């Protein structure tokens, strides 16, 4: 709901601060008083294209600020979140727009900079403005399908899910076909590559193992003499290890004679153990690095072939085994390709049939809802002096290229304003006054299906009076039970229906002309409605008639 509107330096409005409440609010004033300026200012806040011509003469910039009170689940908050704008759930939403006299504009949402595009999208969620030249909202066919679905309480979730399943099945089929075609073109290369890799039988980690083995044998050839010399000092009856063991045996016989001899024996035993371990390690190292020309040649050949194969296939040597498995799988898919494609084709066919069935059920439900909507709108036309007009909801099946998660239908509201005249879109056939009344009839029929919490009707009663104006007022009053309505009107019958009433008027101080807006109390309201009834001279009868209208409302 729109709660506040602050305007600074917009055309003839120097400074204006308004507060709004729920229900039906009416704005009246003499022709030329500046009602259009008020709507232009609000439109600026809602993202309408900025025009420097709106800046009051002599001012550097114009500013409009609009405050809204929204429910915590209002879709506007999701839009703010998507655009990275911070907000506190339940807090007031304030939109501010500044237009400079030399061109350019800035927009703010809760004091955070925002783009004009974001402002326009947000504005469409907050306020519906219905005027004689309105080409949005109910006039735009792009929104008619959603309105019909909401009117009929139709759930499109099942169709959307079926469409997603169908697209997924179709994409899987197309991917498989592409893979199969690509694989078939590479069949000869695949056969050769798999045979080569299988024959070579690479293993993960093999390169490092071969490189280490080659390095060890090369070191062994270089260190063989040193290892043999060290062995000579340790091995045999004359070697160092034998001497240590002989010394240990002799010391063992005399060790009980003194504690130090016992300690010496313990140290000597450790030396024998360590020397034995050194002898074993030396033998193992000699074996590991044993130079075998044939074995070295075999390791080097395997290593070089492994690396060459990896370069050929542009992979790491450790990934050759995985590549072999992958290429083998591609060959297997070629072999089983026809059967796999047939299964995917069947899945896609069944998924399409499921979507078509679900979409057809939705189409039938839409046609039934369209008939109910047509009857509901038709019931509103005669009281609004549209007796000769006919309304219909066109439900047309789209070609397959137009099928979507929302179904297979194109929905558009059409009218015929004269007997025998063909149906045509609202915007192309209705005059200004007729268009506004058609919108009102639609809004009444659709009841709570609009997304915006505030609706503004600009001179919806132009060119009508008496019973028709009263019918318009009654319907506006009915709509205002579930939404906030602001109506710019010249009709006393409509003005009397409002829960609140503002007067728009010009004033002159001899130099400057200004437009002002002020709320009317009960007495002032009676006087304004009397003026609307009688013209320049307000009569007692006009005041009495104004009172009767207010009491009847």
């Amino acid at each position: 709901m729109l709660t506040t509107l602050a305007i600074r330096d917009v055309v003839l409005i120097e400074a204006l601060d308004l507060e709004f409440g729920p229900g039906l609010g009416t704005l009246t004033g003499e022709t030329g008083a500046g009602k259009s300026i008020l709507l232009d200012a609000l439109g600026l806040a809602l993202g309408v294209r900025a025009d420097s011509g709106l800046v009051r003469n002599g001012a550097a910039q114009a500013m409009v600020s609009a405050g809204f009170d929204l429910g915590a689940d209002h879709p506007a908050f999701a839009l703010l979140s998507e655009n990275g704008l911070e907000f506190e759930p339940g807090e007031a939403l304030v939109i501010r727009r500044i237009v400079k006299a030399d061109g350019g504009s800035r927009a703010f949402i809760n004091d955070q900079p925002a783009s004009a595009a974001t402002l326009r999208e947000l504005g469409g969620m907050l306020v519906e403005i219905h005027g004689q030249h309105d080409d949005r909202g109910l006039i735009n066919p792009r929104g008619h399908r959603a309105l019909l679905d909401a009117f009929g309480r139709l759930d499109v979730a099942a169709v959307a899910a079926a469409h997603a399943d169908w697209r997924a099945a179709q994409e899987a089929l197309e991917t498989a076909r592409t893979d199969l075609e690509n694989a078939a073109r590479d069949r000869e290369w695949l056969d050769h590559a798999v045979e080569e890799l299988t024959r070579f039988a690479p293993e993960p980690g093999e390169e490092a193992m071969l490189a280490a083995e080659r390095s060890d044998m090369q070191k062994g050839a270089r260190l063989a003499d040193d290892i043999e010399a060290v062995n000579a000092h340790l091995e045999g009856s004359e070697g160092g290890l034998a001497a240590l063991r002989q010394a240990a045996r002799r010391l063992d016989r005399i060790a009980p004679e003194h504690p130090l001899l016992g300690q010496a024996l313990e140290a000597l035993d450790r030396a024998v153990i360590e020397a034995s371990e050194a002898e074993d390690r030396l033998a193992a190292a000699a074996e590991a690095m044993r130079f075998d020309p044939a074995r070295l040649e075999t390791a080097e050949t395997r290593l070089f072939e492994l690396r060459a194969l990896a370069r050929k296939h542009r992979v790491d040597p450790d990934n050759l085994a995985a590549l072999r498995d992958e290429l083998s799988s591609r060959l297997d898919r070629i072999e089983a390709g026809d059967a796999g494609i047939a299964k995917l084709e069947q899945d896609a066919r069944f998924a399409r049939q499921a979507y078509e069935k679900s979409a057809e059920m939705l189409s039938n439900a839409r046609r039934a809802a369209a008939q109910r909507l047509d009857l509901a709108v038709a019931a509103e036309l005669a009281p609004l002096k549209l007796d000769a007009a006919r309304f219909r909801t066109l439900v047309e099946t789209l070609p397959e290229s137009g099928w979507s998660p929302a179904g297979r239908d194109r929905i558009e509201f059409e009218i015929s304003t004269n007997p025998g005249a063909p149906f045509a879109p609202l915007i192309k056939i209705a005059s200004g006054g007729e268009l506004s009344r058609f919108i009102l009839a639609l809004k009444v029929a659709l009841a709570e299906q609009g997304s915006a919490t505030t609706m503004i009707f600009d001179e919806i009663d132009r060119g009508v009076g008496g019973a028709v104006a009263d019918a318009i007022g009654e319907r506006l009053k009915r709509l205002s039970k579930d939404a906030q309505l602001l109506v710019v009107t010249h009709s006393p019958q409509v003005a009397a229906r409002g829960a609140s009433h503002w007067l728009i008027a010009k004033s002159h101080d001899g130099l400057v002309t200004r437009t002002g807006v002020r709320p009317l109390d009960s007495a002032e309201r009676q006087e304004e409605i009397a003026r609307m009834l009688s013209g320049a001279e307000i009569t007692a009868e006009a005041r009495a008639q104004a009172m009767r209208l207010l009491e009847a409302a």
Side-chain angles (χ1 to χ4, degrees), residues 368-414:
Q371 291 179 356
R372 297 196 302 274
L373 178 59
D374 294 350
L375 290 173
V377 174
E380 299 295 330
L381 296 180
L384 296 174
K385 202 178 179 180
L386 294 168
D387 315 60
R390 292 176 297 150
F391 172 88
R392 77 173 183 185
T393 305
L394 178 67
V395 181
E396 183 179 66
T397 301
L398 292 167
E400 185 173 334
S401 59
W403 296 2
S404 74
R408 305 181 303 175
D409 307 311
R410 183 180 77 86
I411 312 295
E412 185 168 2
F413 301 149
E414 295 184 332

Side-chain angles (χ1 to χ4, degrees), residues 425-494:
L426 287 171
I427 194 65
K428 292 184 178 180
I429 201 168
S431 66
E434 288 175 329
L435 180 57
S436 295
R437 280 177 277 149
F438 263 113
I439 290 172
L440 179 58
L442 261 175
K443 289 302 297 185
V444 172
L446 292 169
E448 301 175 4
Q449 309 312 326
S451 61
T453 55
T454 298
M455 290 180 280
I456 296 176
F457 288 88
D458 182 17
E459 299 188 1
I460 192 173
D461 48 18
R462 178 184 289 270
V464 300
V468 177
D470 189 60
I472 291 174
E474 188 275 328
R475 282 154 178 77
L476 291 170
K477 184 77 171 182
R478 194 192 315 167
L479 275 179
S480 69
K481 292 179 180 179
D482 298 309
Q484 180 190 47
L485 268 69
L486 297 175
V487 181
V488 177
T489 179
H490 289 287
S491 168
Q493 291 90 343
V494 173

Side-chain angles (χ1 to χ4, degrees), residues 11-13 27-38 458-459 462 488-490 503-508 513-517 528 531:
V11 193
L12 298 179
I13 299 176
L27 297 98
T28 64
E30 295 182 357
T31 301
K35 295 184 289 293
S36 62
I37 299 174
L38 192 66
D458 182 17
E459 299 188 1
R462 178 184 289 270
V488 177
T489 179
H490 289 287
L503 176 65
I504 304 173
K506 283 183 180 178
S507 62
H508 308 269
T513 299
R514 296 180 176 86
T515 290
V517 182
E528 170 62 8
R531 180 200 63 78

Side-chain angles (χ1 to χ4, degrees), residues 143-157 159 362-363 365-367 369-370 372-373 393 395 405-407 409 411 413 446 449:
H144 291 175
R145 183 171 60 194
L147 287 169
L148 178 63
D149 288 346
F151 172 80
R153 290 180 167 78
L154 307 181
D155 186 4
V156 300
V159 174
L362 179 60
S363 296
R366 280 173 173 159
R367 292 187 183 95
R372 297 196 302 274
L373 178 59
T393 305
V395 181
D409 307 311
I411 312 295
F413 301 149
L446 292 169
Q449 309 312 326

Side-chain angles (χ1 to χ4, degrees), residues 9-14 52-62 101 511-513:
D9 296 320
V10 176
V11 193
L12 298 179
I13 299 176
E14 184 175 8
S52 59
L54 291 174
V55 181
R56 187 173 64 88
N57 187 32
Q61 65 181 30
L511 296 174
V512 179
T513 299

